[in-house]
Amino acid sequence: MGVANQTCESSKQLSDRFYVTAFSIIFLFGLLFNSLALVFFFRFTKIRSQTTVYMKNLACTDLLLVGSLPVRILFYVSRRQFPWRLCELTGLVFLVNMYGSIFFLTCISLDRCVAICFPMKSRLNSLRGRAKWISAGVWLLVVGASIPPYLVIPKSDNETGACPLCFDKKPSYVTNPATVAATLLVGYGIPLATILVCSLSLLRAVRRSSATRMDYVDWRKIRNMVAANVVIFVVCFLPYHTVLLLYVTVRTPERELTLRASYRATIAVACLNAIFDPLAYYFATETFQKSVGVKALKNALTSNTDSAEGNNRSLSPQRAKLGHSARTIMT
């Protein structure tokens, strides 16, 4: 028994060091990257689009998560009993961030797809103009859907108001079969399918467009940017939802400890989106500035010099349209 206890204690200390390291890295880089992203979005007002509205909200959700990470770090460092409400509030912030990120990433993909694939659909374009209202609706949805777990769970196993397990306790509400079914369908399945369809449609439209053939848009860079967004979405959020599914399909007393450990690990993985999201902003903006802005200007000047005046008049509306499409893709 003594050897078994020592083994368990050693494993626990190792996992605690892992979580302290992981959450500390996410806190430092997430705070830095998202703060810089918000400064960029609000200071450089020349780059404006409906997509940047969603990016601003996405950065805010990431900063909200980053602000809650010191609580997790302190818990795994000290292993003290934390107030029950503090533990639950930190868990609530995690859910708001994860599903806020999922829906805002979905909105970004939809906005780009509609702008490029359906530029002449007035109803769809008028809907794009309501990005602020859509963002407000996303906030209401994710906050409203995340609150119920903390209204129905008993206060604590003791009467002191302290939670000795805090982030190590069993996730009872989120692993309820009915909750898992709704979460997998609405919270992850539909957004994932939407992002995949929008990404494929966008790539096809850009690949076949005149803007790509005229070198207004670097198709390979756009392809890499879209692929990066999909990879971030899958890598960060798929493990968490896979564990939720396993809780329903293979829940047994023998698997309980393994599932609980996997659940905690996937939370750390999901929190990585606070670092990856700003990197996606950076590459998108860099591509816009270097690939669209400079090349479009260079091509336009060259064409104006070499072409006849009549051809310039006939091609200028097309170039303006292509330039607008290019800017829409990248902003």
Side-chain angles (χ1 to χ4, degrees), residues 3-45:
V3 175
N5 290 335
Q6 290 178 359
T7 302
C8 292
E9 186 65 25
S10 176
S11 176
K12 185 176 181 180
Q13 292 177 356
L14 182 62
S15 65
D16 286 353
R17 286 196 293 268
F18 166 77
Y19 290 124
V20 169
T21 303
F23 288 130
S24 297
I25 292 174
I26 295 171
F27 173 77
L28 292 175
F29 287 98
L31 179 62
L32 175 63
F33 291 166
N34 285 284
S35 298
L36 291 175
L38 285 179
V39 169
F40 176 84
F41 287 140
F42 284 102
R43 182 175 178 180
F44 296 91
T45 55

Coordinates of all heavy atoms in Angstrom, one line a residue, residues 3-45:
V3 N 3.9 1.7 -1.3 CA 4.4 1.9 -2.6 C 3.4 2.5 -3.5 O 3.6 3.4 -4.3 CB 5.0 0.6 -3.2 CG1 5.5 0.8 -4.6 CG2 6.1 0.1 -2.3
A4 N 2.1 1.9 -3.5 CA 1.1 2.4 -4.3 C 0.7 3.9 -4.0 O 0.5 4.7 -4.9 CB -0.2 1.6 -4.1
N5 N 0.7 4.2 -2.7 CA 0.4 5.6 -2.4 C 1.5 6.5 -2.9 O 1.3 7.7 -3.3 CB 0.3 5.7 -0.9 CG -1.0 5.1 -0.3 OD1 -1.9 5.0 -1.1 ND2 -1.0 4.7 0.9
Q6 N 2.8 6.1 -2.8 CA 3.9 6.9 -3.2 C 3.8 7.1 -4.8 O 4.1 8.2 -5.3 CB 5.2 6.3 -2.9 CG 5.5 6.3 -1.4 CD 6.8 5.7 -1.0 OE1 7.5 5.1 -1.9 NE2 7.2 5.6 0.2
T7 N 3.4 6.1 -5.5 CA 3.3 6.1 -6.9 C 2.2 7.1 -7.3 O 2.4 8.0 -8.2 CB 3.0 4.8 -7.5 OG1 4.0 3.9 -7.2 CG2 2.9 4.8 -9.0
C8 N 1.1 7.0 -6.6 CA -0.1 7.9 -6.9 C 0.3 9.4 -6.6 O 0.0 10.3 -7.4 CB -1.3 7.5 -6.1 SG -2.0 6.0 -6.6
E9 N 1.0 9.6 -5.5 CA 1.4 11.0 -5.1 C 2.4 11.5 -6.1 O 2.3 12.7 -6.5 CB 2.1 10.9 -3.7 CG 2.4 12.3 -3.2 CD 1.1 13.1 -2.9 OE1 0.1 12.5 -2.7 OE2 1.3 14.4 -3.0
S10 N 3.3 10.7 -6.6 CA 4.3 11.1 -7.6 C 3.6 11.5 -8.9 O 4.0 12.5 -9.5 CB 5.4 10.0 -7.8 OG 6.3 10.4 -8.8
S11 N 2.7 10.7 -9.3 CA 1.9 11.0 -10.5 C 1.1 12.2 -10.4 O 1.0 13.0 -11.4 CB 1.0 9.8 -10.8 OG 0.2 10.1 -12.0
K12 N 0.6 12.5 -9.2 CA -0.2 13.7 -9.0 C 0.7 14.9 -9.1 O 0.3 15.9 -9.7 CB -0.9 13.6 -7.6 CG -1.9 14.7 -7.3 CD -2.5 14.5 -6.0 CE -3.5 15.6 -5.7 NZ -4.2 15.4 -4.4
Q13 N 1.9 14.8 -8.5 CA 2.8 16.0 -8.5 C 3.2 16.3 -9.9 O 3.4 17.4 -10.3 CB 4.0 15.7 -7.6 CG 3.6 15.6 -6.1 CD 4.8 15.3 -5.3 OE1 5.9 15.0 -5.8 NE2 4.7 15.3 -3.9
L14 N 3.5 15.2 -10.7 CA 3.9 15.4 -12.1 C 2.8 16.1 -12.9 O 3.1 17.0 -13.7 CB 4.2 14.0 -12.7 CG 4.7 14.0 -14.1 CD1 6.0 14.9 -14.2 CD2 5.0 12.6 -14.7
S15 N 1.6 15.6 -12.7 CA 0.4 16.2 -13.5 C 0.2 17.7 -13.0 O -0.1 18.5 -13.9 CB -0.8 15.4 -13.3 OG -1.3 15.5 -11.9
D16 N 0.4 18.0 -11.7 CA 0.3 19.3 -11.3 C 1.3 20.2 -11.9 O 1.0 21.4 -12.3 CB 0.4 19.4 -9.7 CG -0.8 18.9 -9.0 OD1 -1.8 18.6 -9.7 OD2 -0.8 18.7 -7.8
R17 N 2.6 19.8 -12.0 CA 3.6 20.6 -12.7 C 3.3 20.8 -14.1 O 3.5 21.9 -14.7 CB 5.0 19.9 -12.5 CG 5.5 19.9 -11.1 CD 7.0 19.6 -11.1 NE 7.2 18.2 -11.5 CZ 7.3 17.2 -10.6 NH1 7.2 17.5 -9.3 NH2 7.5 16.0 -11.0
F18 N 2.7 19.8 -14.8 CA 2.3 19.9 -16.2 C 1.3 21.0 -16.3 O 1.4 21.9 -17.2 CB 1.8 18.6 -16.7 CG 1.0 18.8 -18.0 CD1 1.7 18.9 -19.2 CD2 -0.3 18.8 -18.1 CE1 1.1 19.1 -20.4 CE2 -1.0 18.9 -19.3 CZ -0.3 19.1 -20.4
Y19 N 0.2 21.0 -15.5 CA -0.8 22.0 -15.6 C -0.3 23.4 -15.2 O -0.7 24.4 -15.9 CB -2.0 21.7 -14.7 CG -2.8 20.4 -15.2 CD1 -2.9 19.3 -14.4 CD2 -3.3 20.4 -16.5 CE1 -3.6 18.2 -14.9 CE2 -4.0 19.3 -17.0 CZ -4.1 18.2 -16.2 OH -4.8 17.1 -16.6
V20 N 0.6 23.5 -14.3 CA 1.1 24.8 -13.9 C 1.9 25.4 -15.1 O 1.8 26.6 -15.4 CB 2.0 24.7 -12.6 CG1 2.8 26.0 -12.4 CG2 1.2 24.4 -11.4
T21 N 2.7 24.5 -15.7 CA 3.5 25.0 -16.8 C 2.6 25.4 -18.0 O 2.8 26.4 -18.6 CB 4.5 23.9 -17.3 OG1 5.3 23.5 -16.1 CG2 5.4 24.3 -18.4
A22 N 1.7 24.5 -18.3 CA 0.8 24.7 -19.5 C 0.0 26.0 -19.3 O 0.0 26.9 -20.2 CB -0.1 23.5 -19.7
F23 N -0.7 26.2 -18.2 CA -1.5 27.3 -18.0 C -0.7 28.6 -17.8 O -1.2 29.7 -18.2 CB -2.4 27.1 -16.7 CG -3.5 26.1 -16.9 CD1 -3.7 25.1 -16.0 CD2 -4.3 26.2 -18.0 CE1 -4.7 24.2 -16.2 CE2 -5.4 25.3 -18.2 CZ -5.5 24.2 -17.3
S24 N 0.5 28.5 -17.3 CA 1.4 29.7 -17.2 C 1.8 30.2 -18.6 O 1.8 31.4 -18.9 CB 2.6 29.4 -16.4 OG 2.3 29.0 -15.1
I25 N 2.2 29.2 -19.5 CA 2.5 29.6 -20.9 C 1.3 30.2 -21.6 O 1.5 31.2 -22.3 CB 3.0 28.4 -21.6 CG1 4.4 27.9 -21.0 CG2 3.2 28.7 -23.1 CD1 4.9 26.6 -21.6
I26 N 0.2 29.6 -21.4 CA -1.0 30.1 -22.1 C -1.4 31.5 -21.6 O -1.7 32.4 -22.3 CB -2.2 29.2 -21.9 CG1 -1.9 27.8 -22.6 CG2 -3.5 29.8 -22.4 CD1 -3.0 26.8 -22.3
F27 N -1.2 31.7 -20.3 CA -1.5 33.0 -19.7 C -0.6 34.1 -20.2 O -1.0 35.2 -20.7 CB -1.4 32.9 -18.2 CG -1.5 34.3 -17.5 CD1 -2.7 34.9 -17.3 CD2 -0.3 34.9 -17.0 CE1 -2.8 36.1 -16.7 CE2 -0.4 36.2 -16.4 CZ -1.7 36.8 -16.2
L28 N 0.7 33.8 -20.3 CA 1.7 34.8 -20.7 C 1.5 35.2 -22.2 O 1.4 36.4 -22.5 CB 3.1 34.4 -20.4 CG 3.5 34.2 -18.9 CD1 4.9 33.6 -18.8 CD2 3.5 35.6 -18.3
F29 N 1.5 34.2 -23.0 CA 1.4 34.5 -24.4 C 0.0 34.9 -24.9 O -0.1 35.7 -25.8 CB 1.9 33.2 -25.2 CG 3.4 33.0 -25.2 CD1 3.9 32.1 -24.3 CD2 4.2 33.7 -26.0 CE1 5.3 31.9 -24.3 CE2 5.6 33.5 -26.0 CZ 6.1 32.6 -25.1
G30 N -1.0 34.3 -24.2 CA -2.4 34.7 -24.5 C -2.6 36.2 -24.2 O -3.3 36.9 -24.9
L31 N -2.1 36.6 -23.0 CA -2.3 38.0 -22.6 C -1.6 38.9 -23.6 O -2.1 39.9 -24.0 CB -1.8 38.2 -21.2 CG -1.8 39.6 -20.6 CD1 -3.3 40.1 -20.5 CD2 -1.2 39.6 -19.2
L32 N -0.3 38.6 -23.9 CA 0.5 39.4 -24.8 C -0.2 39.5 -26.2 O -0.4 40.6 -26.8 CB 1.9 38.9 -24.9 CG 2.8 39.6 -25.9 CD1 3.0 41.0 -25.5 CD2 4.2 38.8 -26.0
F33 N -0.4 38.3 -26.8 CA -0.9 38.3 -28.2 C -2.3 38.9 -28.4 O -2.5 39.7 -29.3 CB -1.0 36.8 -28.7 CG 0.4 36.2 -28.9 CD1 0.5 34.8 -29.0 CD2 1.5 37.0 -28.9 CE1 1.8 34.3 -29.2 CE2 2.8 36.4 -29.1 CZ 2.9 35.1 -29.2
N34 N -3.2 38.6 -27.4 CA -4.6 39.2 -27.6 C -4.6 40.7 -27.3 O -5.4 41.4 -27.9 CB -5.5 38.4 -26.7 CG -5.9 37.1 -27.2 OD1 -6.7 36.9 -28.1 ND2 -5.3 36.0 -26.6
S35 N -3.7 41.1 -26.4 CA -3.7 42.6 -26.1 C -3.2 43.3 -27.3 O -3.7 44.4 -27.7 CB -2.8 42.9 -24.9 OG -3.3 42.3 -23.7
L36 N -2.1 42.8 -27.9 CA -1.6 43.4 -29.2 C -2.6 43.4 -30.3 O -2.7 44.3 -31.1 CB -0.3 42.7 -29.6 CG 0.9 42.9 -28.7 CD1 2.1 42.0 -29.2 CD2 1.3 44.3 -28.6
A37 N -3.4 42.3 -30.4 CA -4.4 42.2 -31.4 C -5.5 43.2 -31.2 O -5.9 43.9 -32.2 CB -5.0 40.8 -31.4
L38 N -5.9 43.5 -30.0 CA -6.9 44.5 -29.8 C -6.4 45.9 -30.1 O -7.1 46.7 -30.6 CB -7.5 44.4 -28.3 CG -8.4 43.2 -28.1 CD1 -8.8 43.2 -26.6 CD2 -9.6 43.3 -28.9
V39 N -5.1 46.1 -29.7 CA -4.5 47.4 -30.0 C -4.5 47.6 -31.5 O -4.8 48.7 -32.0 CB -3.1 47.5 -29.4 CG1 -2.4 48.7 -29.9 CG2 -3.2 47.5 -27.8
F40 N -4.1 46.6 -32.2 CA -4.1 46.7 -33.7 C -5.4 47.0 -34.3 O -5.6 47.9 -35.1 CB -3.5 45.4 -34.2 CG -3.5 45.4 -35.8 CD1 -2.4 46.0 -36.5 CD2 -4.5 44.8 -36.5 CE1 -2.4 46.0 -37.8 CE2 -4.5 44.8 -37.8 CZ -3.4 45.4 -38.5
F41 N -6.4 46.2 -33.8 CA -7.8 46.4 -34.4 C -8.4 47.8 -34.1 O -9.0 48.3 -35.0 CB -8.7 45.3 -33.8 CG -8.5 43.9 -34.3 CD1 -8.5 42.8 -33.5 CD2 -8.2 43.7 -35.7 CE1 -8.3 41.5 -34.0 CE2 -7.9 42.4 -36.2 CZ -8.0 41.4 -35.3
F42 N -8.1 48.3 -32.9 CA -8.7 49.6 -32.6 C -7.9 50.8 -33.1 O -8.4 51.9 -33.2 CB -9.0 49.7 -31.1 CG -10.1 48.9 -30.6 CD1 -9.9 47.6 -30.0 CD2 -11.4 49.3 -30.8 CE1 -11.0 46.9 -29.6 CE2 -12.5 48.6 -30.4 CZ -12.3 47.4 -29.8
R43 N -6.6 50.6 -33.3 CA -5.7 51.7 -33.6 C -5.6 51.9 -35.2 O -5.7 53.0 -35.7 CB -4.3 51.5 -33.1 CG -3.4 52.6 -33.4 CD -2.0 52.5 -32.8 NE -1.1 53.5 -33.1 CZ 0.1 53.7 -32.7 NH1 0.6 52.7 -31.9 NH2 0.9 54.7 -33.1
F44 N -5.5 50.7 -35.9 CA -5.4 50.8 -37.3 C -6.8 50.7 -37.9 O -7.2 49.6 -38.3 CB -4.5 49.7 -37.9 CG -3.1 49.8 -37.4 CD1 -2.6 49.2 -36.2 CD2 -2.1 50.6 -38.1 CE1 -1.3 49.3 -35.8 CE2 -0.8 50.7 -37.7 CZ -0.4 50.1 -36.5
T45 N -7.5 51.8 -37.9 CA -8.9 51.8 -38.3 C -9.1 51.7 -39.8 O -10.2 51.6 -40.3 CB -9.5 53.1 -37.8 OG1 -8.8 54.3 -38.3 CG2 -9.5 53.2 -36.3

